[in-house]
Amino acid sequence: MSEPNSNSEINQREKDHLALELKKKDFDLIFQLSNVLRGQPEPTVFYQKVVDLIGAHIGCCRVSLLIFDPQLDELEVVATYNFREVMGLRIPASQGITGYAVHHGELVNVGEVTTDPRY
């Protein structure tokens, strides 16, 4: 194997290595999620395991999973990661950032929720 002949080659190798590590981490998450699915747990157990895995994977301090009830037009918090105080909370689906996502059929990624006018 030849020696790198410039700093840019070394930097590119470091970037490539980091990209591979991130892909490996993502594949590990997919594998773990598939193992949860294979176990066919009850929905509430499944939701909680998924939220725990995703929360740990992406390094968020809080994660919540809400399920939409179209009959009541409400969202219910069915699983949380470091956010137990909102478990079981029901909110109108027309409110907030999550309500916006439901009614517009869009994924919404907000860095600082308190600065978003939909919050």
Side-chain angles (χ1 to χ4, degrees), residues 45-57:
V45 173
F46 171 73
Y47 298 151
Q48 190 58 58
K49 287 183 178 185
V50 167
V51 167
D52 288 343
L53 286 169
I54 290 173
H57 177 77

Side-chain angles (χ1 to χ4, degrees), residues 36 42-54 63 65 78-82 84 87:
V36 170
E42 291 297 315
T44 55
V45 173
F46 171 73
Y47 298 151
Q48 190 58 58
K49 287 183 178 185
V50 167
V51 167
D52 288 343
L53 286 169
I54 290 173
V63 176
L65 175 65
V78 296
T80 65
Y81 177 79
N82 293 333
R84 303 287 296 147
M87 190 67 171

Side-chain angles (χ1 to χ4, degrees), residues 68 73 92-95 98-106:
F68 177 58
D73 197 35
S94 60
Q95 288 185 353
T98 307
Y100 175 90
V102 167
H103 282 286
H104 289 87
E106 298 177 14

Side-chain angles (χ1 to χ4, degrees), residues 17-53:
H17 179 74
L18 179 59
L20 284 173
E21 287 297 316
L22 291 173
K23 285 181 182 180
K24 180 188 177 302
K25 189 176 175 184
D26 289 344
F27 284 126
D28 286 345
L29 174 64
I30 292 168
F31 177 74
Q32 291 172 0
L33 290 171
S34 68
N35 283 338
V36 170
L37 276 173
R38 192 175 25 229
Q40 300 178 347
E42 291 297 315
T44 55
V45 173
F46 171 73
Y47 298 151
Q48 190 58 58
K49 287 183 178 185
V50 167
V51 167
D52 288 343
L53 286 169

Side-chain angles (χ1 to χ4, degrees), residues 9 11 35 53 82 89 100 114 118:
E9 237 180 276
N11 288 339
N35 283 338
L53 286 169
N82 293 333
L89 180 70
Y100 175 90
T114 59
R118 298 167 293 192

